[in-house]
Amino acid sequence: MASRISIEEANDFMGIAFETKGPRHVVTHLDDGHAVVRLETDHTHLRPGGYISGPTQMALVDTAAYFSVMSLVGLEPMAVTSNLNMNFLRPCIGKTVVADARMLKIGVALAVMEVDVRVEGAEKAASHAIVTYALPRKETGA
Amino acid sequence: MASRISIEEANDFMGIAFETKGPRHVVTHLDDGHAVVRLETDHTHLRPGGYISGPTQMALVDTAAYFSVMSLVGLEPMAVTSNLNMNFLRPCIGKTVVADARMLKIGVALAVMEVDVRVEGAEKAASHAIVTYALPRKETGA
Amino acid sequence: MASRISIEEANDFMGIAFETKGPRHVVTHLDDGHAVVRLETDHTHLRPGGYISGPTQMALVDTAAYFSVMSLVGLEPMAVTSNLNMNFLRPCIGKTVVADARMLKIGVALAVMEVDVRVEGAEKAASHAIVTYALPRKETGA
Amino acid sequence: MASRISIEEANDFMGIAFETKGPRHVVTHLDDGHAVVRLETDHTHLRPGGYISGPTQMALVDTAAYFSVMSLVGLEPMAVTSNLNMNFLRPCIGKTVVADARMLKIGVALAVMEVDVRVEGAEKAASHAIVTYALPRKETGA
């Protein structure tokens, strides 16, 4: 099933809502609850030793989860992260990093997603997260 | 009890290890497992409506947790985040945001910390996290 | 501020709703978002070595969180656990174990609590949890 | 790849180490980091309305994670749960409940697993967890 928004709409929204001085997160895939977001890192994303930092990975997780929700409900700027549980499994060393989010359950009030983060092309995930987004209440009868 | 490193050493290390194009995290307090880190935000930290973004708060949490560990073990660049569980409790709206990390338990392999994030001067926390850092193995007999 | 329900009402409800073949969880303190629950363990709660098991501690956490919510909203059997993040910090060895839950934030849809678990009288917590409960929607205008 | 221990050894160990007055957890599948554990519930596992309780599901998660580790390292009674993050996605209503654990990453100090819980035969998971076990240190040169 197609997404409620197109990849182009997603990236346009990202450019407006998620300002950054550096490289942008780019949505590369958008499906029925499935979002893939990609980042070409620069030196500000690295820690000594060339490791892509935890915060860089967590930001990418949050974006991928956000668009996983958007693919099902449409652009909803009032949806906010409620909980994010991140496990760092392996060193994340590479130029380009990718977060892949899949919807585990979307209800009226909450959406729960599972997100993998890996260096582009790597077999194993560098980190893994479960993200819960809170969805704004809809007006009854609307 | 004093910290193993001074606030000046902490901020010098931050300047080298955590590069950024924008405003820096600044350590303002460092004690026995207790670290406070402060950030004067700019527009890149905000979402529509003036909310300080989840990733901005998570990055500050990670830094505060890192220096909570450092205050007890000294500068240890090989300590890495293992798990981070973040709950977003209230909108985070303000110019300056502060993360306060306290050590819950430090063992041989892991350190577990509790971190509050709030707008400077606010009574209630915007978010709350539990962070686990993995500590590198020490050589036996050393 | 007093609780919406009394300790007696809480323990009566527990006897009906949380059936068990063994020792019961007993509410010993109930306040404004603050609940303390106590369990005198038997051998079914132990692992080899006399450690109080993880599941025993998690069940006690869930009960304490539940009554933390009830102290603020009254008896609400439709409130359900949404997320539970548990960190096991130290061995839990003793006869009686106590969970202490405090409300971090209660909103319309969710309640987030922090819970400590320790052997009765111990200085340090054996485990620490953050629990999120989902609250049933209220009818508008009711 | 086969498991380090057989299903029979797993269930024998369970009978000794995880005492219970009621129905037992039963290992039904054991593979290379993959463990499936099954429980035929009785009334002590239920909440009003026939829902299988959160603690019942969490206990099953912990057992499945434990045997996922054992399948790779052999019987290791000193392995202990370090962190458990549980998300309750859907009501869990049924007689028999099953937890399915898969290894995400096993290192020297920690093992991280993903666990689904569902009513036997159900298409969708009732709950989903990420569990971290701490592994005891091995003697060097052994």
Side-chain angles (χ1 to χ4, degrees), chain B residues 112-134:
Chain B
V112 184
M113 290 136 290
E114 178 166 19
V115 191
D116 272 339
V117 177
R118 73 189 68 224
V119 166
E120 192 167 57
E123 179 199 343
K124 302 191 187 227
S127 60
H128 177 277
I130 303 293
V131 187
T132 303
Y133 259 77

Side-chain angles (χ1 to χ4, degrees), chain B residues 104, chain C residues 52-54 56-58 60-61 85-92 97-100 114-119 124-130, chain D residues 81-82:
Chain B
L104 285 179
Chain C
I52 293 174
S53 75
T56 299
Q57 298 181 52
M58 290 189 287
L60 204 65
V61 158
N85 184 264
M86 186 87 163
N87 276 286
F88 295 93
L89 305 174
R90 303 175 178 85
C92 191
V97 61
V98 177
D100 189 312
E114 178 166 20
V115 190
D116 271 339
V117 176
R118 73 189 68 223
V119 165
K124 301 190 187 228
S127 60
H128 177 277
I130 303 293
Chain D
T81 321
S82 174

